[in-house]
Each structure stands twice: as C-alpha cells, then as structure tokens.
Amino acid sequence: MVKHVIVWTLKDELSADEKVQVKQGIKEGLEGLQGKIPGLLEIKVYTDGLESSNADLILDSTFESAEALNGYSVHPDHVAVAQGKVRPYTKLRSCFDYEV
C-alpha cells in the first residue's frame, strides 16, 4: 500500500470566512472521490488544525499501489477537483508519499 499525504496553506488574501468555505469545498471534493477511482482505498481531509498548526488543511489518502496513485493523479474526477477547488486557493503544497 502507498500513503499520499498533502499539506496545503491557503492564499493570504482569502478572508477567514472564505477560508472556511474553501476548506469545506476541498474536503467535500476530495472525499467525494472515494469509490470513483481505481485503487483508492481511503481518502480523508482534515481542516480543523490546532492553533499550533502553520498550515490550513491536510489530505491523508491510501492507495493499493504506486501505480494506483499515478492513476489517481491523472484521473479526470481528481483533476477536476484539483483545478476547480484546490489550486485556485492554495499558495503552498507539500507532498509526502511512502509505502506501508
């Protein structure tokens, strides 16, 4: 199995209310991919970090294999969420993929 973890920081120009809405949209969009992408075993987005956090949200997902993760990255449903709900609002993205 492969874990795919992403941490995002939202753009500074977003208001507090906009950040809440954006985080909810990202969560709904990405978690809505469950059952739609071959090899995606689990996907969860966390949006309520503690005050000690220096990022806004995190994706924690599990795939059957590295090949399944590669398929996810180009799957049209994932690309639509990334382009419509994530990329327009994020200024920083860090990714860590590893085998379990």
Side-chain angles (χ1 to χ4, degrees):
M1 285 192 298
V2 171
K3 293 291 286 183
H4 174 61
V5 179
I6 299 181
V7 178
W8 289 284
T9 301
L10 298 177
K11 291 182 177 179
D12 295 330
E13 60 265 22
L14 296 171
S15 70
D17 288 341
E18 288 171 323
K19 285 184 178 185
V20 169
Q21 292 175 352
V22 166
K23 289 192 289 185
Q24 187 60 36
I26 291 171
K27 180 176 177 63
E28 289 173 1
L30 289 173
E31 289 181 356
L33 297 174
Q34 185 74 49
K36 296 181 179 178
I37 298 179
L40 172 61
L41 302 176
E42 185 177 17
I43 188 163
K44 183 74 177 160
V45 176
Y46 298 93
T47 60
D48 296 322
L50 300 176
E51 287 186 31
S52 57
S53 299
N54 63 1
D56 293 298
L57 64 161
I58 184 170
L59 166 71
D60 182 9
S61 54
T62 307
F63 292 84
E64 289 178 353
S65 63
E67 293 78 20
L69 174 57
N70 291 336
Y72 164 83
S73 68
V74 297
H75 191 282
D77 290 342
H78 169 254
V79 171
V81 173
Q83 290 180 343
K85 295 182 180 282
V86 179
R87 292 185 186 131
Y89 307 104
T90 55
K91 71 173 183 176
L92 182 63
R93 174 190 180 272
S94 296
C95 175
F96 191 78
D97 298 328
Y98 61 98
E99 289 188 26
V100 291

XYZ file of all heavy atoms in Angstrom:
778
model
N 0.849 -1.185 0.000
C 0.000 0.000 0.000
C 0.887 1.238 0.000
O 2.024 1.199 0.444
C -0.907 0.018 1.220
C -2.061 -0.956 1.152
S -3.300 -0.671 2.439
C -2.346 -0.943 3.898
N 0.299 2.332 -0.478
C 1.005 3.605 -0.560
C 0.160 4.678 0.117
O -1.048 4.774 -0.114
C 1.263 3.990 -2.038
C 1.788 5.408 -2.157
C 2.239 3.008 -2.673
N 0.821 5.469 0.961
C 0.173 6.632 1.584
C 0.550 7.857 0.764
O 1.691 8.002 0.321
C 0.644 6.814 3.025
C 0.210 5.714 3.971
C -1.266 5.703 4.231
C -1.665 6.833 5.139
N -3.086 6.831 5.485
N -0.414 8.742 0.592
C -0.251 10.000 -0.148
C -0.770 11.089 0.773
O -1.979 11.147 1.051
C -1.052 9.928 -1.453
C -1.098 11.179 -2.256
N 0.019 11.782 -2.780
C -2.157 11.932 -2.642
C -0.349 12.853 -3.463
N -1.665 12.970 -3.390
N 0.144 11.904 1.288
C -0.203 12.943 2.254
C 0.177 14.300 1.676
O 1.304 14.487 1.207
C 0.529 12.713 3.594
C 0.190 13.801 4.592
C 0.198 11.335 4.157
N -0.770 15.224 1.701
C -0.525 16.583 1.216
C -0.940 17.564 2.294
O -1.989 17.403 2.924
C -1.294 16.875 -0.087
C -0.849 15.922 -1.182
C -1.097 18.332 -0.511
C -1.513 16.137 -2.509
N -0.122 18.588 2.467
C -0.420 19.681 3.388
C -0.490 20.955 2.560
O 0.414 21.241 1.768
C 0.676 19.802 4.472
C 0.390 20.972 5.395
C 0.800 18.504 5.257
N -1.573 21.716 2.736
C -1.750 22.955 1.990
C -1.832 24.157 2.917
O -2.379 24.069 4.020
C -3.063 22.956 1.208
C -3.141 22.057 0.039
C -2.573 22.225 -1.180
C -3.903 20.852 -0.055
N -2.915 21.198 -2.018
C -3.736 20.341 -1.343
C -4.718 20.156 0.849
C -4.344 19.180 -1.777
C -5.319 18.994 0.424
C -5.132 18.510 -0.879
N -1.368 25.271 2.404
C -1.579 26.574 3.017
C -2.375 27.397 2.014
O -2.015 27.461 0.823
C -0.239 27.269 3.338
O 0.496 26.425 4.219
C -0.472 28.619 3.986
N -3.454 27.992 2.488
C -4.308 28.787 1.614
C -3.703 30.167 1.368
O -2.857 30.641 2.128
C -5.699 28.920 2.227
C -6.461 27.605 2.425
C -7.791 27.858 3.114
C -6.672 26.884 1.113
N -4.167 30.813 0.322
C -3.677 32.142 -0.044
C -4.015 33.163 1.042
O -5.099 33.120 1.629
C -4.270 32.574 -1.378
C -3.744 31.766 -2.543
C -4.310 32.245 -3.856
C -3.706 31.456 -5.015
N -4.262 31.887 -6.307
N -3.094 34.077 1.261
C -3.244 35.095 2.305
C -4.428 36.027 2.057
O -5.035 36.516 3.008
C -1.969 35.940 2.412
C -0.781 35.129 2.878
O -0.976 34.156 3.636
O 0.346 35.468 2.478
N -4.743 36.281 0.807
C -5.800 37.248 0.508
C -7.212 36.746 0.809
O -8.174 37.528 0.775
C -5.711 37.732 -0.946
C -5.834 36.646 -1.987
C -4.478 36.104 -2.469
O -3.471 36.243 -1.751
O -4.454 35.521 -3.561
N -7.352 35.472 1.137
C -8.675 34.950 1.494
C -9.047 35.409 2.900
O -8.235 35.349 3.820
C -8.674 33.426 1.436
C -8.445 32.791 0.065
C -8.254 31.289 0.201
C -9.586 33.104 -0.874
N -10.294 35.832 3.061
C -10.777 36.207 4.386
C -10.984 34.937 5.220
O -10.993 33.819 4.684
C -12.099 36.965 4.276
O -13.139 36.095 3.854
N -11.191 35.105 6.503
C -11.440 33.957 7.385
C -12.666 33.185 6.923
O -12.661 31.942 6.894
C -11.590 34.423 8.827
N -13.733 33.895 6.554
C -14.949 33.229 6.072
C -14.692 32.492 4.758
O -15.186 31.373 4.559
C -16.082 34.236 5.889
C -16.650 34.734 7.204
O -16.438 34.069 8.249
O -17.303 35.799 7.207
N -13.940 33.111 3.861
C -13.626 32.455 2.595
C -12.796 31.191 2.835
O -13.020 30.175 2.180
C -12.859 33.410 1.675
C -13.719 34.522 1.107
C -12.900 35.577 0.368
O -11.766 35.889 0.811
O -13.415 36.087 -0.650
N -11.866 31.252 3.781
C -11.048 30.078 4.079
C -11.899 28.922 4.583
O -11.680 27.770 4.206
C -9.952 30.419 5.084
C -8.827 31.219 4.471
C -7.711 31.468 5.459
C -6.570 32.234 4.793
N -5.413 32.399 5.660
N -12.871 29.214 5.406
C -13.781 28.167 5.889
C -14.507 27.529 4.715
O -14.606 26.295 4.618
C -14.780 28.738 6.922
C -15.884 27.738 7.228
C -14.050 29.145 8.197
N -15.026 28.350 3.796
C -15.755 27.841 2.641
C -14.852 27.036 1.709
O -15.234 25.975 1.214
C -16.411 28.988 1.877
C -17.527 29.659 2.646
C -18.075 30.878 1.919
O -17.545 31.331 0.916
N -19.168 31.428 2.444
N -13.642 27.557 1.474
C -12.699 26.865 0.594
C -12.318 25.514 1.188
O -12.300 24.497 0.482
C -11.446 27.743 0.348
C -10.322 26.933 -0.268
C -11.804 28.929 -0.537
N -12.003 25.468 2.467
C -11.627 24.208 3.104
C -12.764 23.198 3.008
O -12.528 22.015 2.738
C -11.218 24.427 4.560
C -9.888 25.145 4.691
C -9.327 25.127 6.093
C -10.038 25.977 7.067
N -9.377 26.028 8.397
N -13.991 23.641 3.201
C -15.134 22.733 3.095
C -15.287 22.210 1.672
O -15.563 21.031 1.461
C -16.421 23.421 3.560
C -17.610 22.489 3.642
C -17.399 21.324 4.612
O -16.768 21.468 5.648
N -17.911 20.163 4.257
N -15.090 23.091 0.685
C -15.171 22.673 -0.713
C -14.100 21.653 -1.075
O -14.366 20.678 -1.786
N -12.881 21.865 -0.583
C -11.797 20.925 -0.837
C -12.107 19.580 -0.183
O -11.958 18.517 -0.799
C -10.452 21.495 -0.335
C -10.025 22.692 -1.209
C -9.370 20.416 -0.327
C -8.829 23.462 -0.677
N -12.553 19.627 1.061
C -12.892 18.396 1.792
C -13.977 17.608 1.054
O -13.827 16.416 0.796
C -13.351 18.751 3.202
C -13.722 17.552 4.069
C -14.076 18.005 5.478
C -14.513 16.868 6.372
N -13.479 15.859 6.616
N -15.058 18.280 0.703
C -16.160 17.604 0.009
C -15.713 17.060 -1.344
O -16.066 15.942 -1.717
C -17.339 18.557 -0.167
C -18.055 18.877 1.128
C -19.113 19.963 0.972
O -19.319 20.478 -0.156
O -19.736 20.311 1.994
N -14.940 17.858 -2.074
C -14.496 17.441 -3.401
C -13.589 16.228 -3.357
O -13.801 15.249 -4.085
N -12.577 16.268 -2.498
C -11.633 15.151 -2.447
C -12.235 13.914 -1.798
O -12.065 12.804 -2.310
C -10.355 15.581 -1.723
C -9.479 16.564 -2.503
C -8.338 17.067 -1.633
C -8.955 15.934 -3.789
N -12.954 14.077 -0.704
C -13.567 12.908 -0.069
C -14.646 12.301 -0.963
O -14.934 11.107 -0.872
C -14.097 13.268 1.307
C -12.977 13.515 2.311
C -13.458 13.843 3.708
O -14.677 13.958 3.938
O -12.592 13.991 4.601
N -15.220 13.104 -1.838
C -16.215 12.615 -2.791
C -15.627 11.703 -3.861
O -16.363 11.062 -4.609
N -14.310 11.618 -3.931
C -13.654 10.726 -4.901
C -13.646 9.274 -4.447
O -13.369 8.375 -5.247
C -12.218 11.199 -5.155
C -12.080 12.590 -5.776
C -10.611 12.990 -5.848
C -12.734 12.649 -7.146
N -13.944 9.041 -3.164
C -13.981 7.669 -2.635
C -14.938 6.823 -3.469
O -16.073 7.215 -3.718
C -14.441 7.682 -1.176
C -14.388 6.329 -0.507
C -12.973 5.890 -0.186
O -12.207 6.645 0.381
N -12.638 4.666 -0.537
N -14.465 5.679 -3.929
C -15.299 4.778 -4.718
C -15.342 5.095 -6.200
O -15.943 4.362 -6.973
N -14.700 6.182 -6.615
C -14.727 6.585 -8.026
C -13.414 6.335 -8.751
O -13.380 6.379 -9.976
C -15.070 8.070 -8.143
C -16.454 8.424 -7.655
C -16.722 9.897 -7.835
C -18.136 10.240 -7.370
N -18.389 11.686 -7.492
N -12.340 6.115 -8.002
C -11.017 5.998 -8.612
C -10.426 4.627 -8.272
O -10.308 4.278 -7.090
C -10.104 7.145 -8.140
C -10.704 8.481 -8.593
C -8.688 6.958 -8.662
C -9.941 9.696 -8.196
N -10.065 3.860 -9.288
C -9.499 2.527 -9.039
C -8.260 2.600 -8.152
O -7.379 3.446 -8.357
C -9.138 2.029 -10.440
C -10.016 2.808 -11.365
C -10.178 4.159 -10.722
N -8.213 1.735 -7.151
C -7.052 1.647 -6.289
C -7.010 2.623 -5.139
O -6.118 2.539 -4.297
N -7.969 3.538 -5.078
C -8.058 4.475 -3.946
C -8.795 3.761 -2.814
O -9.978 3.466 -2.924
C -8.796 5.750 -4.346
C -9.127 6.746 -3.230
C -7.855 7.251 -2.552
C -9.931 7.915 -3.787
N -8.077 3.464 -1.746
C -8.653 2.708 -0.637
C -9.313 3.607 0.405
O -10.358 3.253 0.952
C -7.572 1.856 0.032
C -6.856 0.860 -0.873
C -5.740 0.163 -0.109
C -7.845 -0.133 -1.457
N -8.689 4.739 0.695
C -9.216 5.643 1.721
C -8.734 7.051 1.428
O -7.596 7.251 1.001
C -8.727 5.196 3.096
C -9.320 5.995 4.239
C -8.876 5.470 5.600
O -7.892 4.711 5.676
O -9.520 5.842 6.578
N -9.614 8.033 1.693
C -9.240 9.434 1.497
C -9.947 10.277 2.546
O -11.150 10.142 2.759
C -9.562 9.899 0.055
C -8.994 11.294 -0.209
C -11.035 9.797 -0.260
C -8.914 11.643 -1.683
N -9.170 11.099 3.215
C -9.713 11.931 4.293
C -9.007 13.282 4.259
O -7.788 13.354 4.076
C -9.477 11.243 5.638
C -10.048 11.944 6.823
C -11.544 11.806 6.877
C -12.058 12.473 8.147
N -13.438 12.811 8.103
N -9.785 14.348 4.436
C -9.241 15.699 4.509
C -9.550 16.252 5.891
O -10.690 16.210 6.345
C -9.840 16.610 3.413
C -9.343 18.035 3.565
C -9.502 16.065 2.033
N -8.516 16.765 6.542
C -8.650 17.353 7.877
C -8.500 18.867 7.751
O -7.531 19.352 7.171
C -7.598 16.791 8.834
C -7.749 15.297 9.015
C -7.032 14.403 8.229
C -8.624 14.787 9.961
C -7.174 13.041 8.386
C -8.779 13.419 10.130
C -8.055 12.551 9.338
O -8.211 11.204 9.500
N -9.466 19.599 8.313
C -9.496 21.054 8.134
C -9.433 21.829 9.442
O -9.309 23.048 9.415
C -10.784 21.477 7.400
O -11.917 21.079 8.173
C -10.862 20.847 6.013
N -9.531 21.151 10.560
C -9.592 21.832 11.855
C -8.324 21.574 12.659
O -8.335 20.859 13.663
C -10.831 21.369 12.647
C -12.120 21.756 11.958
O -12.174 22.860 11.381
O -13.072 20.961 11.992
N -7.238 22.191 12.228
C -5.978 22.033 12.934
C -5.972 22.818 14.238
O -6.769 23.741 14.436
N -5.074 22.445 15.108
C -4.889 23.177 16.357
C -4.228 24.526 16.070
O -3.649 24.732 14.999
C -4.022 22.366 17.316
C -4.566 20.994 17.727
C -3.552 20.271 18.604
C -5.894 21.135 18.434
N -4.288 25.430 17.032
C -3.683 26.751 16.855
C -2.189 26.679 16.597
O -1.607 27.586 16.006
C -3.972 27.629 18.073
C -5.411 28.095 18.133
C -5.659 29.088 19.257
O -4.732 29.842 19.607
O -6.782 29.099 19.769
N -1.552 25.611 17.010
C -0.117 25.445 16.796
C 0.229 25.110 15.337
O 1.397 25.139 14.957
C 0.424 24.353 17.718
O -0.280 23.140 17.491
N -0.774 24.825 14.513
C -0.541 24.459 13.110
C -0.089 25.674 12.308
O -0.535 26.797 12.550
C -1.828 23.913 12.488
O -2.260 22.759 13.163
N 0.770 25.431 11.323
C 1.166 26.510 10.418
C 0.733 26.216 8.986
O 1.259 26.780 8.035
C 2.668 26.798 10.508
C 3.515 25.625 10.073
O 3.014 24.583 9.687
N 4.817 25.807 10.134
N -0.227 25.328 8.829
C -0.856 25.035 7.545
C -2.365 25.000 7.770
O -2.830 24.963 8.911
C -0.361 23.709 6.996
N -3.126 25.010 6.671
C -4.580 25.128 6.784
C -5.341 23.814 6.694
O -6.412 23.682 7.280
C -5.100 26.085 5.703
C -4.635 27.500 5.949
O -4.993 28.069 6.998
O -3.890 28.045 5.099
N -4.824 22.852 5.926
C -5.526 21.576 5.805
C -4.574 20.500 5.302
O -3.502 20.805 4.776
C -6.761 21.672 4.918
C -6.618 22.013 3.446
C -7.890 21.600 2.715
C -6.433 23.496 3.242
N -5.006 19.251 5.493
C -4.178 18.108 5.129
C -5.046 17.028 4.477
O -6.178 16.801 4.872
C -3.436 17.545 6.372
C -2.484 16.415 5.982
C -4.395 17.121 7.444
C -1.565 15.980 7.109
N -4.459 16.399 3.469
C -5.061 15.232 2.823
C -4.296 14.010 3.280
O -3.057 13.989 3.236
C -4.956 15.359 1.298
C -5.231 14.084 0.495
C -6.708 13.733 0.546
C -4.763 14.238 -0.934
N -5.009 12.993 3.717
C -4.416 11.713 4.106
C -5.131 10.637 3.300
O -6.315 10.397 3.510
C -4.594 11.496 5.614
C -3.963 10.207 6.102
O -3.241 9.540 5.326
O -4.199 9.850 7.267
N -4.417 10.025 2.365
C -5.062 9.034 1.496
C -4.194 7.788 1.381
O -2.979 7.830 1.575
C -5.333 9.635 0.115
O -4.154 10.175 -0.452
N -4.858 6.678 1.056
C -4.193 5.385 0.941
C -4.581 4.746 -0.388
O -5.763 4.731 -0.751
C -4.609 4.454 2.100
O -4.392 5.125 3.340
C -3.813 3.165 2.077
N -3.564 4.210 -1.074
C -3.763 3.576 -2.376
C -3.230 2.155 -2.345
O -2.346 1.827 -1.552
C -3.037 4.378 -3.464
C -3.654 5.720 -3.709
C -3.306 6.798 -2.909
C -4.588 5.905 -4.698
C -3.880 8.044 -3.101
C -5.181 7.136 -4.901
C -4.826 8.211 -4.094
N -3.752 1.326 -3.225
C -3.307 -0.067 -3.320
C -1.834 -0.162 -3.694
O -1.142 -1.068 -3.250
C -4.126 -0.824 -4.375
C -5.546 -1.089 -3.976
C -6.332 -1.804 -5.063
O -5.811 -1.982 -6.195
O -7.482 -2.177 -4.789
N -1.366 0.781 -4.532
C -0.005 0.690 -5.074
C 0.435 2.053 -5.604
O -0.380 2.980 -5.734
C 0.023 -0.320 -6.224
O -0.809 0.150 -7.280
N 1.711 2.142 -5.950
C 2.223 3.367 -6.579
C 1.544 3.586 -7.926
O 1.280 4.738 -8.317
C 3.733 3.286 -6.741
N 1.237 2.508 -8.626
C 0.549 2.631 -9.916
C -0.848 3.212 -9.732
O -1.290 4.035 -10.545
C 0.464 1.266 -10.613
C 1.804 0.712 -11.048
C 2.625 0.089 -9.918
O 2.052 -0.274 -8.864
O 3.849 -0.005 -10.083
N -1.535 2.807 -8.675
C -2.865 3.361 -8.391
C -2.763 4.856 -8.080
O -3.611 5.642 -8.522
C -3.525 2.613 -7.240
N -1.741 5.243 -7.333
C -1.527 6.665 -7.049
C -1.270 7.440 -8.335
O -1.827 8.526 -8.531
C -0.359 6.844 -6.072
C 0.083 8.280 -5.792
C -1.060 9.141 -5.254
C 1.267 8.285 -4.830
N -0.479 6.870 -9.231
C -0.229 7.527 -10.519
C -1.516 7.680 -11.315
O -1.731 8.711 -11.961
C 0.815 6.747 -11.330
C 2.192 6.832 -10.729
O 2.505 7.767 -9.994
N 3.026 5.852 -11.021
N -2.376 6.673 -11.277
C -3.664 6.755 -11.970
C -4.567 7.821 -11.379
O -5.266 8.535 -12.105
N -4.550 7.947 -10.073
C -5.321 8.979 -9.370
C -4.903 10.370 -9.817
O -5.746 11.238 -10.039
C -5.100 8.796 -7.870
C -5.476 9.946 -6.975
C -6.794 10.140 -6.559
C -4.497 10.829 -6.493
C -7.127 11.182 -5.700
C -4.827 11.856 -5.634
C -6.147 12.042 -5.249
O -6.468 13.065 -4.396
N -3.603 10.576 -9.964
C -3.108 11.916 -10.280
C -3.617 12.433 -11.618
O -3.750 13.643 -11.796
C -1.575 11.952 -10.237
O -1.031 11.196 -11.285
N -3.942 11.533 -12.539
C -4.427 11.965 -13.858
C -5.900 11.632 -14.097
O -6.433 11.931 -15.166
C -3.557 11.353 -14.987
C -2.124 11.854 -14.888
C -3.603 9.826 -14.957
N -6.542 11.033 -13.116
C -7.957 10.677 -13.273
C -8.785 11.952 -13.449
O -8.608 12.916 -12.695
C -8.428 9.894 -12.044
C -9.763 9.265 -12.233
N -10.934 9.976 -12.146
C -10.110 7.975 -12.518
C -11.956 9.156 -12.360
N -11.470 7.945 -12.596
N -9.683 11.989 -14.417
C -10.456 13.209 -14.688
C -11.232 13.758 -13.483
O -11.322 14.984 -13.319
C -11.420 12.799 -15.804
C -10.841 11.576 -16.409
C -10.003 10.916 -15.356
N -11.765 12.888 -12.645
C -12.503 13.367 -11.468
C -11.566 14.069 -10.483
O -11.909 15.106 -9.914
C -13.230 12.210 -10.775
C -14.393 11.679 -11.590
O -14.868 12.375 -12.512
O -14.830 10.549 -11.305
N -10.378 13.504 -10.290
C -9.395 14.142 -9.400
C -8.897 15.456 -10.004
O -8.802 16.472 -9.305
C -8.209 13.214 -9.142
C -7.080 13.903 -8.458
N -5.924 14.255 -9.111
C -6.946 14.336 -7.177
C -5.126 14.875 -8.256
N -5.714 14.935 -7.085
N -8.591 15.451 -11.283
C -8.105 16.667 -11.950
C -9.141 17.784 -11.832
O -8.788 18.940 -11.569
C -7.747 16.371 -13.423
C -7.460 17.650 -14.194
C -6.556 15.414 -13.499
N -10.413 17.465 -11.970
C -11.471 18.476 -11.859
C -11.499 19.099 -10.466
O -11.638 20.323 -10.331
C -12.827 17.856 -12.206
N -11.368 18.278 -9.431
C -11.347 18.803 -8.060
C -10.101 19.652 -7.848
O -10.170 20.757 -7.297
C -11.420 17.667 -7.021
C -11.216 18.197 -5.613
C -12.749 16.927 -7.122
N -8.959 19.162 -8.282
C -7.700 19.886 -8.090
C -7.736 21.245 -8.784
O -7.350 22.267 -8.197
C -6.533 19.055 -8.607
N -8.222 21.271 -10.005
C -8.238 22.527 -10.762
C -9.334 23.480 -10.311
O -9.156 24.687 -10.367
C -8.379 22.237 -12.258
C -7.140 21.612 -12.848
C -7.272 21.322 -14.327
O -8.367 21.283 -14.887
N -6.143 21.070 -14.976
N -10.463 22.941 -9.860
C -11.592 23.792 -9.509
C -11.677 24.194 -8.053
O -12.156 25.282 -7.729
N -11.216 23.317 -7.149
C -11.408 23.574 -5.723
C -10.114 23.767 -4.931
O -10.150 24.299 -3.830
C -12.201 22.427 -5.086
C -13.614 22.310 -5.611
C -14.370 21.199 -4.913
C -15.773 21.071 -5.436
N -16.673 22.082 -4.912
N -8.992 23.304 -5.465
C -7.743 23.345 -4.694
C -6.785 24.408 -5.223
O -6.470 25.380 -4.525
C -7.054 21.957 -4.678
C -5.763 22.028 -3.888
C -7.980 20.893 -4.094
N -6.300 24.240 -6.416
C -5.230 25.107 -6.943
C -5.551 26.599 -6.954
O -4.654 27.403 -6.672
C -4.816 24.633 -8.334
C -4.116 23.289 -8.273
C -3.577 22.856 -9.626
N -3.061 21.496 -9.494
C -3.370 20.516 -10.321
N -4.168 20.725 -11.346
N -2.871 19.310 -10.127
N -6.780 26.995 -7.244
C -7.039 28.444 -7.263
C -6.894 29.118 -5.893
O -6.765 30.340 -5.824
C -8.487 28.547 -7.747
C -8.771 27.263 -8.442
C -7.944 26.231 -7.718
N -6.909 28.355 -4.819
C -6.969 28.927 -3.469
C -5.749 28.633 -2.604
O -5.664 29.119 -1.485
C -8.225 28.417 -2.756
C -9.474 28.658 -3.562
C -10.102 27.613 -4.240
C -10.000 29.938 -3.689
C -11.238 27.844 -5.006
C -11.127 30.173 -4.451
C -11.735 29.122 -5.107
O -12.851 29.348 -5.870
N -4.818 27.828 -3.106
C -3.671 27.449 -2.282
C -2.397 28.146 -2.754
O -2.201 28.351 -3.950
C -3.452 25.924 -2.301
O -3.324 25.464 -3.640
C -4.621 25.216 -1.628
N -1.570 28.511 -1.767
C -0.290 29.139 -2.104
C 0.890 28.200 -1.891
O 1.950 28.405 -2.449
C -0.089 30.422 -1.305
C 0.183 30.223 0.179
C 0.525 31.531 0.853
C 0.854 31.285 2.323
N 1.284 32.522 2.973
N 0.699 27.167 -1.064
C 1.785 26.252 -0.759
C 1.240 24.840 -0.645
O 0.203 24.605 -0.011
C 2.451 26.660 0.563
C 3.642 25.837 1.025
C 4.786 25.943 0.022
C 4.119 26.330 2.391
N 1.962 23.907 -1.276
C 1.580 22.486 -1.259
C 2.833 21.678 -0.966
O 3.846 21.818 -1.649
C 1.011 22.079 -2.603
C 0.716 20.594 -2.747
C 0.390 20.281 -4.229
N 0.099 18.891 -4.447
C 0.991 17.953 -4.723
N 2.280 18.241 -4.788
N 0.619 16.693 -4.934
N 2.760 20.842 0.039
C 3.832 19.908 0.338
C 3.258 18.504 0.277
O 2.164 18.250 0.772
C 4.410 20.166 1.737
O 4.996 21.440 1.794
N 4.002 17.603 -0.341
C 3.527 16.232 -0.554
C 4.560 15.248 -0.012
O 5.768 15.454 -0.165
C 3.328 16.000 -2.043
S 2.865 14.306 -2.473
N 4.059 14.167 0.607
C 4.919 13.080 1.056
C 4.211 11.775 0.748
O 3.115 11.524 1.258
C 5.207 13.200 2.558
C 6.280 12.279 3.036
C 7.615 12.577 2.805
C 5.968 11.108 3.725
C 8.634 11.723 3.242
C 6.983 10.259 4.163
C 8.310 10.569 3.922
N 4.815 10.963 -0.121
C 4.284 9.660 -0.488
C 5.230 8.592 0.055
O 6.453 8.749 -0.018
C 4.202 9.513 -2.009
C 3.273 10.522 -2.656
O 2.284 10.912 -2.016
O 3.533 10.912 -3.812
N 4.660 7.508 0.603
C 5.503 6.446 1.149
C 4.748 5.118 1.145
O 3.524 5.086 1.120
C 5.985 6.802 2.558
C 4.882 6.998 3.586
C 4.534 5.978 4.466
C 4.186 8.201 3.676
C 3.537 6.148 5.409
C 3.191 8.394 4.617
C 2.871 7.352 5.477
O 1.870 7.530 6.406
N 5.523 4.048 1.166
C 4.941 2.705 1.201
C 4.711 2.282 2.649
O 5.497 2.603 3.522
C 5.859 1.712 0.512
C 5.904 1.906 -0.982
C 6.653 0.801 -1.703
O 6.719 -0.335 -1.180
O 7.175 1.087 -2.790
N 3.606 1.549 2.858
C 3.310 0.999 4.185
C 3.153 -0.516 4.086
O 2.878 -1.039 3.047
C 2.041 1.624 4.814
C 2.298 3.059 5.169
C 0.844 1.492 3.912
